Amino acid sequence: MLQGIRNASQHWLGKIVLTIIFTLLIAGVGIFGVEEFFRGGASNTVAKVGSTPITAEAVRQAYQNQLQRYQAQLKRAITPDQARMLGLDRQVMSQLITEAALDQKTRDLGLAVPDASVIRAIHEEKSFQNAQGQFDPALFYQTLQRAGLNEPMFVREQRSVIARLQLAEAVSADLPVPTALRDAVHRYTTERRAADYLILPPSAAGQIPEPSEEELKTWYAANKGNFRAPEYRAVNLLVVDPEQMAKPDAVSADDLHKAYELNKSRYGSPEKRTIQQIVFPDAASAEAARKEIEDGSKTFEAVAEARGTDGKDLTLGTLTKTELFDRAVADAAFALPEGGVSQPVQGRFGTVLLRVTKIEPGTVKPFEAVEGEIRKGLALQRARDGLETARDAIEDQRAGAKPLADIAAERGLSLVAVKAVDAQGRAPDGQRVAGIPDPDTTLPAVFRAEIGGDNEPLRTKSGGYVWYDVTGIDAAHDKPFDEVRDAVKAGWTAAETAKRLQAKGRELVERLDKGETVEAVAKDAGVNAESASDLTRNQPKDQLTADVVNLIFATAVGKAGTAASGDGRAVFKVTGATMPATAAGSPSDRTITQSFQTALSDDVLGEFIGEVQKNAGVTVDQAALRRALGGEF
């Protein structure tokens, strides 16, 4: 390329072209910056709803928040592949597009949230309140800092959230549930039925003749799926788990005693004090009140009453030192004797006088009582500290194509060798295979891998790692007829019995519909007639399964029907149906209304948001989305 540029620069036309090219290059760098120019001028906007942009930073933040929530629920790390299978990117973008659509509509409508409403919402947020239910500025800023936010960012987001909620409530709040819908649900849930019935046992099918070989083979060919062997895999698993690596016996006595002294407060209960507090406008008035208490002219309670503090607000509670948010108050309160009154203390919320009315001494378990716990904890912590080192060393050996069996032998680690396991974790004999760690995660990975594949290790719920090598694959296949002949015969016999019972059931239904009684047809069939009342949808009763009960509800009163019931067959006639009248405003009616109001609100709001997006227009830059998520999607 450089040689071509040099050659072109020797000609007058080439010089003009090169001058134009370099002028555009310099202009591009000046406009976009060096980094942005050489990245191709990549935009920071991942998507737009109308004129409302969704930035890459917003996508990254929302994605990380959602990922952390999933990991907290599952109590394990989630790989990019697993996140993609969960549709994490689609969930995040759908949420952000919905929020942007509502933001766009609030601007179109000219909705604005005053500062007073934002401040009130922040002050009422429980996460920012102390033990007394009061807004705590320090707690507010600490919470924002942990979340990686500053105050202007948070206030701006809160203003948007309040506006979205107001718009959503205006669109979907207090929607009426139609009377016809409430009546239909009431009828469905409160209807009760009665029926007379009989149960035909398998013996009612008569003697089933021995099937011919041809009949068995024909039935086998039509039902091969019932005799299909699943795919089985042989796999070696190398598990490096902190609890397995932990060596409690290697922890020295000196280390145990040091850990005990360092964490003594953990092995018992800390001291607690019942603390009372009176707030004053300044140090002078607090000092004057303290002197009145000291010389006996006023009691602590009398001073509190004069300051407008009633008895229930006087006591902060029985607290440990760490439970007091105000460090100055905590230090002063825990330096007082029982019954003592403090000097004026300058706290976060003003000048206060403190009194300790009760002291509950702390307790500490002796070293001997917690030695085993400390030993196990130290060993486990050391194992976790060395886990990444062990992982890196094993990965180095894996990079050299060393089999897991050899790595396990060299390092004294146990190898789980599974000869055959299906995707559900069962061996060919149907028993669950033992020793597979986190099977819900490990088995899907094993069945995605290939023999000799380079597989990334999996994280276990306990924080360890699992390496796996697939050593054999027995593909799913139809079992040959000779291997399953007995099972085929049993299946054919059951199918023939069911077919004969079905024909017998239809015959009895015809007799019942012509006016014969259940008692009469039951007597002819050699079985007992039964009756059932107060039947409820989807609920089995007596000898009637839930499926038979639901068929009774689908049959008109006075009509008969038949349905499979276990190995036998039920034949019934519906004798009655009752239904309480709908009572508007009754507890059941209110329950139905509340249930469907939520569903209707969600539907209406979803339709509204969809219409907003349609009118505003939604564009998503897939390349920018991939960049925002680090190329994971």
Side-chain angles (χ1 to χ4, degrees), residues 236-238 394 398 402-409 415 467-469:
N236 287 335
L237 302 169
L238 179 62
I394 292 173
R398 293 280 288 166
K402 182 166 287 191
L404 287 179
D406 295 347
I407 296 173
L415 186 76
W467 285 266
Y468 55 99
D469 276 344

Side-chain angles (χ1 to χ4, degrees), residues 135-208:
F135 174 72
D136 186 342
L139 187 59
F140 170 69
Y141 289 114
Q142 288 171 6
T143 305
L144 292 192
Q145 187 177 18
R146 285 195 297 269
L149 299 170
N150 57 38
E151 184 178 355
M153 290 169 57
F154 182 75
V155 170
R156 185 167 59 250
E157 178 59 25
Q158 284 300 105
R159 195 185 302 275
S160 297
V161 169
I162 294 170
R164 292 173 204 150
L165 289 174
Q166 289 178 343
L167 179 59
E169 288 176 1
V171 170
S172 61
D174 298 326
L175 291 174
V177 179
T179 302
L181 175 59
R182 286 160 34 216
D183 287 344
V185 174
H186 175 77
R187 288 197 302 273
Y188 184 86
T189 56
T190 61
E191 182 182 0
R192 298 293 181 265
R193 290 210 168 191
D196 294 335
Y197 68 94
L198 59 93
I199 302 293
L200 294 174
S203 58
Q207 182 66 36
I208 306 298

Side-chain angles (χ1 to χ4, degrees), residues 39-118:
R39 286 195 318 179
S43 171
N44 187 45
T45 299
V46 173
K48 289 183 75 175
V49 180
S51 61
T52 302
I54 300 173
T55 65
E57 182 56 36
V59 173
R60 280 191 290 269
Q61 185 68 40
Y63 174 76
Q64 288 302 322
N65 290 343
Q66 188 77 320
L67 184 64
Q68 289 169 10
R69 280 194 289 270
Y70 270 99
Q71 291 179 151
Q73 291 171 0
L74 298 174
K75 297 182 180 179
R76 61 181 175 82
I78 296 177
T79 66
D81 282 344
Q82 291 168 335
R84 183 166 48 250
M85 290 174 63
L86 290 170
L88 208 58
D89 58 329
R90 296 188 296 277
Q91 294 176 29
V92 167
M93 285 307 301
S94 176
Q95 173 190 336
L96 292 176
I97 288 172
T98 296
E99 293 174 357
L102 291 174
D103 289 343
Q104 177 70 38
K105 193 63 178 178
T106 57
R107 279 196 296 275
D108 292 345
L109 295 173
L111 298 180
V113 179
D115 293 341
S117 297
V118 178

Side-chain angles (χ1 to χ4, degrees), residues 357-375:
T357 60
K358 184 180 179 182
I359 297 177
E360 297 178 9
T363 60
V364 179
K365 295 179 182 178
F367 171 78
E368 292 74 19
V370 294
E371 180 182 358
E373 179 185 342
I374 299 173
R375 184 181 295 278

Side-chain angles (χ1 to χ4, degrees), residues 160-440:
S160 297
V161 169
I162 294 170
R164 292 173 204 150
L165 289 174
Q166 289 178 343
L167 179 59
E169 288 176 1
V171 170
S172 61
D174 298 326
L175 291 174
V177 179
T179 302
L181 175 59
R182 286 160 34 216
D183 287 344
V185 174
H186 175 77
R187 288 197 302 273
Y188 184 86
T189 56
T190 61
E191 182 182 0
R192 298 293 181 265
R193 290 210 168 191
D196 294 335
Y197 68 94
L198 59 93
I199 302 293
L200 294 174
S203 58
Q207 182 66 36
I208 306 298
E210 282 291 314
S212 67
E213 196 75 2
E214 188 60 32
E215 286 177 313
L216 288 179
K217 288 183 177 179
T218 301
W219 193 86
Y220 164 76
N223 296 274
K224 272 188 177 181
N226 296 335
F227 306 100
R228 186 170 177 79
E231 178 180 326
Y232 288 97
R233 293 197 169 202
V235 60
N236 287 335
L237 302 169
L238 179 62
V239 184
V240 176
D241 187 83
E243 293 190 3
Q244 293 178 357
M245 292 175 62
K247 296 180 173 56
D249 295 339
V251 181
S252 67
D254 186 46
D255 288 342
L256 291 173
H257 283 285
K258 285 180 181 178
Y260 175 75
E261 293 299 328
L262 191 62
N263 300 283
K264 227 175 200 181
S265 60
R266 290 174 48 192
Y267 308 114
S269 59
E271 178 183 323
K272 287 187 174 184
R273 295 189 170 208
T274 303
I275 304 164
Q276 294 180 327
Q277 172 183 281
I278 307 173
V279 181
F280 294 86
D282 51 53
S285 57
E287 178 59 25
R290 189 193 67 79
K291 287 181 178 178
E292 288 179 327
I293 296 170
E294 190 176 62
D295 62 24
S297 60
K298 278 190 179 180
T299 64
F300 195 83
E301 289 79 6
V303 172
E305 186 177 352
R307 291 290 308 150
T309 303
D310 59 27
K312 64 180 182 180
D313 295 329
L314 181 61
T315 301
L316 294 178
T318 303
L319 308 167
T320 65
K321 190 172 184 179
T322 56
E323 288 175 332
L324 286 163
F325 295 109
D326 195 319
R327 183 51 49 201
V329 171
D331 291 340
F334 275 78
L336 290 172
E338 188 170 322
V341 177
S342 71
Q343 297 290 330
V345 178
Q346 184 58 52
R348 290 182 180 176
F349 305 104
T351 304
V352 298
L353 286 183
L354 305 170
R355 182 172 71 170
V356 174
T357 60
K358 184 180 179 182
I359 297 177
E360 297 178 9
T363 60
V364 179
K365 295 179 182 178
F367 171 78
E368 292 74 19
V370 294
E371 180 182 358
E373 179 185 342
I374 299 173
R375 184 181 295 278
K376 182 178 178 181
L378 282 178
L380 188 59
Q381 185 58 51
R382 290 177 182 179
R384 285 176 177 150
D385 291 343
L387 189 65
E388 294 305 317
T389 301
R391 175 193 179 279
D392 293 343
I394 292 173
E395 281 292 278
D396 289 342
Q397 290 181 291
R398 293 280 288 166
K402 182 166 287 191
L404 287 179
D406 295 347
I407 296 173
E410 285 183 14
R411 296 184 166 275
L413 299 171
S414 59
L415 186 76
V416 179
V418 179
K419 294 182 179 179
V421 63
D422 67 10
Q424 282 67 50
R426 299 188 181 279
D429 62 2
Q431 299 299 311
R432 185 163 292 279
V433 177
I436 299 178
D438 293 352
D440 291 342

Side-chain angles (χ1 to χ4, degrees), residues 549-567:
V549 169
N550 287 339
L551 187 57
I552 289 173
F553 274 86
T555 304
V557 176
K559 292 296 185 179
T562 180
S565 179
D567 293 336

